[in-house]
Amino acid sequence: MKIVLFCHSLVSDWNHGNAHFLRGIATELLARGHRVEVYEPEDGWSAANLAAEEGAGALAAYREAYPELTSHRYRLPRLELDRATDGADLVLVHEWNEPLLVAALGAHRAARGRYRLLFHDTHHRSVSDPRAMAAYDLDGYDGVLAFGEAVRQRYLAAGWARRAWTWHEAADVRVFRPRPETARRHDLVWIGNWGDDERTAELAEFLFEPARRLRLSGHVHGVRYPAEGRAAVEAAGLTFAGYLPNHRVPEVFAAHRVTVHVPRRFYVDTLPGVPTIRVFEALACGIPLVSAPWPDAEGLFRPGDFLLAADGAAMRRQLAALLHDDDLWQAIARQGRDTVLARHTCAHRVDELFAVLAALDAGGARATAPETAAGAETRRPVEVPG
């Protein structure tokens, strides 16, 4: 099978956590013998910021970590959809694409494409910025893969799509695994980008204050931290360590005893059941995790996969218990990893993707191009108004 993926970036994960899952899915598809071609914009903001902040070596490090993954860099007005989709069985379009490209692919599939076309949403914009999501024209699409049931329901209720399936993110366990050879020299690590006003108070209550009160050693990794954010890290007794390439996360987890999950408010209040990929990756690495309040509305995890803290005081108690009770530490680490291996790997998600395709085929909904267009040799670029 040939799968074509349009995404914002596979090369860069700078403030772009969607790259984690997409890399894992592409790797799994390749391992199963499928052909995968990835398209990303030549002028994408994630890669541009990564190169500006970390230098060209950061992009080279990605290629060393994922030598099997490549992508075509394009400029939208010159992108030839006939060429890009030639021979494709499935075209997967991530939601961080220009609405113009999303609409052009839908029109292309409707007019001349013999492929399945799915839209993939892994963000909270369906509730935080519905006007932006409503701007996507999905008429030519077979449906939407949404990374949570609440997101799936939002698409259907808003009339943005006729079909939608829940397709959670997951861990690439080829990369995210325990590293027992690494000594655990520090107490706590938190890996996450600054959330503007989406979790500033929560970071203070569930990360900075517990670390300060318990006098924990450790690190905070992420990007877009303002001066006050970096100052809060230092005041907590932790070290701000900046950008961390995602493929290096397992070794950093391995050097620390515990981590925490501080979800953005949207994933607590309006999108319950969406844990974000950091939870899957942490548990896959075998590091115990304590989460700020987060409703597991879809039953993704078992009690004991990680610990929950209702408030800052509970977070302090849970962290202290893990740091001082080795039996508890071992039990949480082992069970969390077991659950990911049993239910939440990229291999599981590829199986789910193929189940969606099989259901579409069984329903007889596969669209075919008109006979007059199917054999055409012309290659038309995306048409950009104005």
Side-chain angles (χ1 to χ4, degrees):
M1 180 180 288
K2 179 179 176 181
I3 298 99
V4 179
L5 168 64
F6 288 89
C7 64
H8 174 71
S9 185
L10 205 68
V11 169
S12 174
D13 56 21
W14 189 96
N15 200 44
H16 180 52
N18 309 127
H20 308 182
F21 181 56
L22 298 177
R23 290 169 178 173
I25 290 296
T27 299
E28 179 64 26
L29 288 166
L30 288 170
R32 297 189 187 195
H34 299 287
R35 181 180 173 187
V36 179
E37 293 196 4
V38 180
Y39 286 80
E40 60 180 273
E42 191 176 281
D43 57 351
W45 50 260
S46 180
N49 279 287
L50 178 59
E53 289 198 3
E54 304 294 325
L59 298 176
Y62 154 77
R63 295 186 181 95
E64 291 176 7
Y66 296 93
E68 70 280 9
L69 299 184
T70 60
S71 56
H72 304 280
R73 308 288 292 278
Y74 69 86
R75 286 195 176 273
L76 188 54
R78 295 196 296 270
L79 178 61
E80 296 176 348
L81 294 186
D82 283 355
R83 183 193 298 271
T85 62
D86 184 36
D89 298 287
L90 168 65
V91 176
L92 189 59
V93 184
H94 191 260
E95 125 279 328
W96 275 119
N97 276 292
E98 291 293 331
L100 178 62
L101 174 62
V102 173
L105 281 163
H108 181 272
R109 207 296 290 268
R112 53 196 297 119
R114 297 182 178 274
Y115 50 84
R116 284 293 181 197
L117 182 61
L118 294 171
F119 190 69
H120 181 209
D121 190 336
T122 58
H123 201 267
H124 56 60
R125 289 193 298 164
S126 59
V127 293
S128 64
D129 193 2
R131 182 175 297 180
M133 300 312 296
Y136 286 112
D137 180 359
L138 303 181
D139 282 348
Y141 286 67
D142 288 299
V144 172
L145 300 174
F147 81 144
E149 176 63 16
V151 180
R152 185 188 76 86
Q153 292 180 6
R154 178 65 176 152
Y155 270 84
L156 298 177
W160 297 333
R162 293 183 298 274
R163 302 185 195 91
W165 298 267
T166 299
W167 199 46
H168 282 283
E169 294 179 312
D172 177 2
V173 294
R174 290 179 173 86
V175 175
F176 292 88
R177 53 183 174 79
R179 305 294 173 91
E181 69 278 7
T182 301
R184 296 189 184 274
R185 301 181 299 273
H186 310 286
D187 296 322
L188 171 68
V189 63
W190 190 70
I191 303 172
N193 301 325
W194 188 254
D196 300 313
D197 292 328
E198 294 177 11
R199 58 181 170 196
T200 303
E202 290 85 347
L203 286 173
E205 179 178 3
F206 291 98
L207 175 63
F208 301 141
E209 186 62 12
R212 186 188 69 82
R213 295 279 295 271
L214 294 172
R215 299 174 181 248
L216 302 184
S217 66
H219 300 82
V220 170
H221 289 270
V223 302
R224 296 180 61 247
Y225 278 68
E228 59 268 27
R230 295 192 296 273
V233 173
E234 301 296 336
L238 303 172
T239 300
F240 179 68
Y243 169 73
L244 178 67
N246 201 48
H247 64 269
R248 288 192 51 221
V249 165
E251 67 188 67
V252 172
F253 277 149
H256 296 78
R257 295 278 292 166
V258 295
T259 189
V260 300
H261 175 49
V262 185
R264 298 171 191 262
R265 261 169 245 145
F266 293 111
Y267 299 124
V268 176
D269 299 334
T270 52
L271 295 178
V274 179
T276 77
I277 199 167
R278 293 289 188 192
V279 174
F280 298 122
E281 291 174 344
L283 299 186
C285 288
I287 183 172
L289 179 146
V290 186
S291 178
W294 172 73
D296 184 11
E298 297 182 52
L300 298 175
F301 302 102
R302 301 175 294 165
D305 286 348
F306 55 84
L307 301 180
L308 276 168
D311 52 30
M315 178 64 79
R316 293 197 304 273
R317 292 193 298 270
Q318 301 282 38
L319 289 173
L322 285 169
L323 291 169
H324 293 97
D325 185 336
D326 192 58
D327 288 340
L328 176 64
W329 189 99
Q330 294 285 352
I332 296 296
R334 181 173 56 253
Q335 183 177 315
R337 176 165 165 77
D338 286 348
T339 293
V340 169
L341 293 178
R343 303 175 60 184
H344 302 306
T345 70
C346 287
H348 290 102
R349 299 302 181 256
V350 167
D351 289 343
E352 293 166 8
L353 174 62
F354 288 158
V356 167
L357 297 177
L360 284 169
D361 289 344
R366 187 177 182 87
T368 57
E371 290 297 321
T372 54
E377 296 293 334
T378 57
R379 294 188 175 99
R380 296 178 297 178
V382 176
E383 297 180 2
V384 181

